[in-house]
Amino acid sequence: MEELRNEYLTIRVSEVGAELQSVKDADGREYLWQADPKYWPRHSPILFPIVCSVNDDTYRVDGREYHLPRHGFARDKQFQLINKTDSRVTFALHDSDETLQVYPYRFNLAVTYRLDGRSIHVIWHVENTDTQEIHFQIGGHPAFNVPGGRIEGTIRLDNEEPMDALRSYADGSHEMTEVPLEAEEGVIEFDEAFWRNDSVKIHNSQTHRATLLDTDGTPAITVSYKTPVCAFWSPYGKRAPFVCIEPWYGIGDPRGFNGEFRDKPLMNHLQPGASFMSEYIIKVRG
């Protein structure tokens, strides 16, 4: 476990999954979900090389079948600490004989956490070290404590215009068709019933900032992102006191999709030697 600290925040990150595991302010208030297995045993997993699921956990590359679990394998792998300073820490994961059995591409994945005042920059860097084009998706899945320990809360988005979400179902599947987002002028009021169809997925870059409000209406956590998709989730039926705000470069297989991996919706492609870099930012109390 690695720790970074400044005058505003203390964060802890595990080498397993390069997963952020704690975000505390100077008063000791914990903002990140603490992985109670009664509800959900994770904090903030890295989703790679897929986001969500491939249908029947099966996908095809040049006609050959491979198998990946939901959200891929990076979240369960041991990363290597490769650099640490007072304000940043970087972990890396490389392809291996084990990963090549389920994902037939060579890659380097680096994840950096950088403290800057009240903000945490989560930086992804994917490098193609193969001799062929590689295809991948990547995303974040940070879970935040709902202020006051409640199951009801408020998220304010940066877009006050009417927005659409993908049609989703209680089994976690979805279609690439749109339904109106349950929001009023960019404000989502969520409760247990809000999660009846699993996650709520806003795509087509309709929003780039989501703020979880504190009990007094001030910002508790703000997540800023450049991703084409942001999903929101809490496990329906468990009355869980946390909510996930998930920036995604990718999305799961829609119902009925059985094409080639490269042709999945929202797939990212890298030529040999090329790299991809992006970030999302978690800001505490702002």
Side-chain angles (χ1 to χ4, degrees):
M1 192 77 67
E2 299 295 330
E3 183 175 286
L4 297 177
R5 181 190 301 264
N6 63 17
E7 61 181 307
Y8 302 106
L9 299 175
T10 300
I11 71 170
R12 301 178 73 210
V13 186
S14 171
E15 290 187 7
V16 177
E19 184 180 11
L20 184 64
Q21 299 212 342
S22 178
V23 176
K24 289 184 178 180
D25 66 16
D27 296 324
R29 176 177 172 179
E30 178 65 73
Y31 290 82
L32 201 67
W33 171 246
Q34 288 302 289
D36 184 343
K38 175 181 176 182
Y39 301 99
W40 187 58
R42 298 182 186 268
H43 306 80
S44 181
I46 304 295
L47 316 182
F48 178 89
I50 58 171
V51 170
C52 293
S53 299
V54 288
N55 289 330
D56 298 322
D57 293 338
T58 301
Y59 69 99
R60 282 150 290 278
V61 175
D62 297 329
R64 180 178 174 182
E65 288 191 348
Y66 294 87
H67 305 283
L68 278 174
R70 185 174 181 83
H71 292 318
F73 53 71
R75 62 183 184 168
D76 296 316
K77 295 296 185 184
Q78 183 78 24
F79 280 64
Q80 179 184 2
L81 174 66
I82 60 171
N83 188 54
K84 185 180 180 183
T85 68
D86 289 343
S87 62
R88 73 166 62 204
V89 61
T90 299
F91 301 90
L93 177 71
H94 312 289
D95 61 88
S96 64
D97 290 343
E98 184 180 13
T99 66
L100 288 168
Q101 293 300 310
V102 296
Y103 179 67
Y105 302 111
R106 297 191 179 277
F107 66 91
N108 291 334
L109 168 62
V111 180
T112 297
Y113 296 89
R114 180 171 68 87
L115 274 186
D116 179 16
R118 297 181 183 275
S119 296
I120 306 156
H121 294 249
V122 185
I123 305 163
W124 302 315
H125 184 194
V126 182
E127 181 185 6
N128 180 357
T129 58
D130 212 320
T131 57
Q132 61 181 320
E133 185 180 46
I134 73 170
H135 317 285
F136 72 95
Q137 298 177 327
I138 193 166
H141 202 315
F144 302 104
N145 296 321
V146 177
R150 302 169 301 160
I151 62 170
E152 303 88 8
T154 302
I155 294 171
R156 186 177 64 222
L157 304 175
D158 60 332
N159 183 356
E160 297 183 1
E161 298 298 318
M163 287 178 276
D164 298 313
L166 293 179
R167 186 181 299 278
S168 298
Y169 298 89
D171 63 1
S173 65
H174 70 275
E175 298 175 353
M176 298 301 291
T177 56
E178 299 167 343
V179 295
L181 176 68
E182 295 180 43
E184 185 69 29
E185 296 184 341
V187 176
I188 296 172
E189 300 284 356
F190 64 86
D191 56 15
E192 180 71 6
F194 188 77
W195 313 113
R196 62 191 178 278
N197 289 322
D198 197 67
S199 62
V200 174
K201 307 172 184 74
I202 304 174
H203 76 319
N204 286 337
S205 301
Q206 296 175 84
T207 171
H208 292 99
R209 188 174 64 252
T211 299
L212 177 63
L213 300 185
D214 214 330
T215 52
D216 61 359
T218 60
I221 287 286
T222 297
V223 181
S224 302
Y225 39 87
K226 306 170 187 175
T227 54
V229 178
C230 188
F232 303 88
W233 177 78
S234 192
Y236 179 63
K238 293 189 175 182
R239 299 181 62 82
F242 72 87
V243 61
C244 295
I245 301 174
E246 307 179 40
W248 293 349
Y249 282 98
I251 203 161
D253 284 356
R255 284 187 168 190
F257 179 82
N258 61 359
E260 282 278 317
F261 188 61
R262 69 172 69 89
D263 297 325
K264 278 171 54 68
L266 298 177
M267 181 59 76
N268 306 284
H269 314 280
L270 281 179
Q271 293 294 326
S275 62
F276 162 96
M277 181 176 287
S278 191
E279 70 172 3
Y280 71 93
I281 302 169
I282 301 168
K283 188 173 184 180
V284 176
R285 308 299 303 169

